[in-house]
């Protein structure tokens, strides 16, 4: 059998809307995409390998150019053939939900991997290792999964009108979108519909997942991120519907927010982040009955709220958030406003623990200053050789998403530490000299030492982002804020 025949058989055998009576039709659909001549044989019978062979066949036949954009668009068109229609998928998902929420998400997750919407082969390239710190074991990842962008695609994206279609990569209009130069292919993309707060939302998986079952919950309407009582209500409703998932929201301000603030969305999944394992350092009273509260032993300033009473939990989270929005303490550089510009918001994370609903509320401040032009509560200049980007939801919870450049750069640091020929970046020099001075380095331990020190830098990054530091002044300031909350 040729790769075309094998892929045809896979389509007929899949959950897509085809039967044996559709065999010739499907076969000819595939030939129309890849051409009739020069068939390339697959390395094995895996669906992704068959897809690779068909894409190469299309290149050999002149159907597409050998460019990342053209290959991605065709690959997703082919995988669309093995993917159920959105209506069919939604019906199957909610039918399986009647068995259990996990049965439904297991089905959707496995499908999203099988049809290569979740790029499992690319994700496997990421470098992942734990790092022991004073705040527990942090998770370090060097993100190698997202492919390098084609220069032509970068130029096309820059010239794309801001009111184009789809408006952004989180819009529901991406479902089934062919893609174009500078904009990702989404032919095999599917979204589960659900209702939050009486409005339609979508649930999908992240193509380049940063953790297990990395999910995105997105508003049907393209509107900016916002953190308010409705946000907390939506998060609790999601974990009520999917109690085996956590869900959280990036902050809604630049610097402390995520990379996409123009479309309301949350992220969730099945993963126990380091912050979730962090203990309560001391219990506090936030003045709301039936809610337990405490300050979490975590580098970022976090209040943990728990209750079986969702309304009481909403009251507590909303109260803390609203007070923080206008709270200032000049003694620790905390200012809610400067020149009329708002600086305060929160990063909320919700989950279920037994019969308890839990919200971790992280206090955020996006001020800048002459000393810290990138942000007072942002990675400071001396750690930006490792991490300069915004500290978003995933980093807040203790999983570093570090740039791909570090895979090569850290190898060069190791060579330097071993006294071998190297091309170490100048920005790592001070850090590397400190490591060398504090450790006896050998070929056997150099990687372990460098990884440990990367973890320590990430812990510092999180501490930089914490508004109340873990020192006497910071803890006293945190207590003053709690007193204000309790008294309100």
């Amino acid at each position: 059998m040729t790769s075309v025949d094998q892929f045809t058989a896979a389509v007929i055998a899949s959950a897509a809307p085809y039967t044996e009576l559709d065999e010739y039709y499907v076969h000819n659909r595939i030939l129309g995409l890849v051409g009739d001549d020069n068939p390339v044989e697959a390395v094995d019978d895996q669906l992704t390998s068959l897809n690779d062979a068909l894409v190469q066949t299309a290149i050999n036949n002149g159907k597409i150019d050998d460019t990342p954009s053209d290959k991605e668009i065709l690959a997703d068109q082919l995988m669309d053939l093995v993917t159920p229609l959105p209506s069919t998928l939604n019906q199957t998902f909610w039918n399986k939900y009647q068995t259990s929420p996990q049965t439904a998400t297991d089905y959707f997750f496995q499908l999203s991997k099988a049809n290569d919407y979740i790029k499992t082969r690319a994700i496997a390239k990421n470098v992942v290792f734990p790092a022991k710190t004073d705040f527990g074991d942090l998770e370090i990842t060097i993100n190698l999964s997202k492919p390098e962008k084609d220069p032509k695609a970068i130029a096309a994206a820059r010239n794309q009108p801001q009111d184009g279609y789809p408006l952004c990569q989180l819009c529901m209009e991406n479902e089934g979108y062919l893609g174009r130069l500078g904009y990702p292919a989404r032919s095999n993309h599917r979204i589960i519909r659900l209702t939050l707060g009486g409005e339609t939302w979508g649930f999908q998986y992240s193509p380049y997942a940063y953790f297990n079952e990395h999910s995105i919950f997105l508003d049907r309407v393209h509107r900016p991120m916002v953190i308010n009582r409705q946000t907390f209500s939506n998060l609790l409703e999601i974990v009520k519907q999917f109690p085996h998932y956590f869900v959280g929201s990036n902050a809604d301000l630049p610097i402390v927010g995520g990379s996409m603030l123009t479309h309301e969305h949350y992220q969730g999944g099945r993963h126990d982040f380091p912050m979730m394992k962090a203990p309560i350092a001391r219990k506090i009273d936030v003045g709301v009955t039936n809610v337990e509260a405490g300050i979490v032993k975590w580098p970022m300033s976090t209040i943990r709220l728990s209750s079986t009473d969702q309304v009481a939990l909403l009251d507590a989270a909303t109260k803390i958030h609203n007070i923080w929005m206008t709270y200032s303490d000049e003694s620790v550089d905390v200012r809610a406003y400067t020149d009329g510009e708002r600086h305060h918001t929160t990063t909320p994370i919700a989950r279920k623990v037994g019969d308890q609903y839990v919200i971790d509320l992280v206090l955020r401040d996006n001020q800048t200053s002459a000393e810290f032009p990138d942000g007072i509560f942002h990675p400071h200049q001396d750690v930006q050789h490792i991490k300069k980007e915004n500290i978003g939801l995933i980093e807040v919870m203790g999983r570093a998403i570090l740039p791909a450049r570090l895979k090569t750069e850290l190898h060069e640091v190791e060579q330097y530490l071993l006294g071998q020929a190297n091309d170490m970046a100048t920005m790592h020099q001070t850090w590397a000299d400190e490591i060398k001075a504090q450790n006896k380095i050998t070929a056997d331990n150099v990687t372990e030492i460098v990884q440990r020190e990367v973890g320590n830098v990430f812990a510092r990054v999180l501490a930089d982002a914490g508004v109340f530091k873990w020192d006497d002044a910071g803890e006293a300031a945190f207590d003053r804020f709690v007193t204000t909350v309790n008294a309100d």
Side-chain angles (χ1 to χ4, degrees), residues 410-458:
L410 293 180
H411 174 72
E412 296 301 324
V413 170
E414 291 182 13
Q415 296 297 99
Y416 172 79
L417 293 174
L418 291 169
Q420 298 177 1
N422 66 86
D423 190 23
M424 185 178 71
T426 304
M427 63 180 172
H428 295 306
Q429 185 75 53
T430 300
W431 179 61
D433 287 340
E434 290 174 354
I435 295 173
K436 182 181 284 190
Q438 296 167 6
N439 298 275
K440 185 176 180 180
I441 296 168
T442 68
D444 292 332
N445 69 12
V446 64
T447 297
E448 179 185 347
I449 288 172
V450 168
Q451 289 184 349
R452 182 193 70 205
E453 294 303 321
V454 169
N456 288 334
V457 170
F458 182 56

Side-chain angles (χ1 to χ4, degrees), residues 7 11 14 16 18 29-30 33 77-83:
F7 199 83
V11 171
S14 73
Y18 302 109
R29 285 271 313 266
I30 296 169
L33 291 170
Q77 281 182 285
L78 290 165
M79 285 299 191
D80 183 41
L81 295 172
V82 299
T83 307

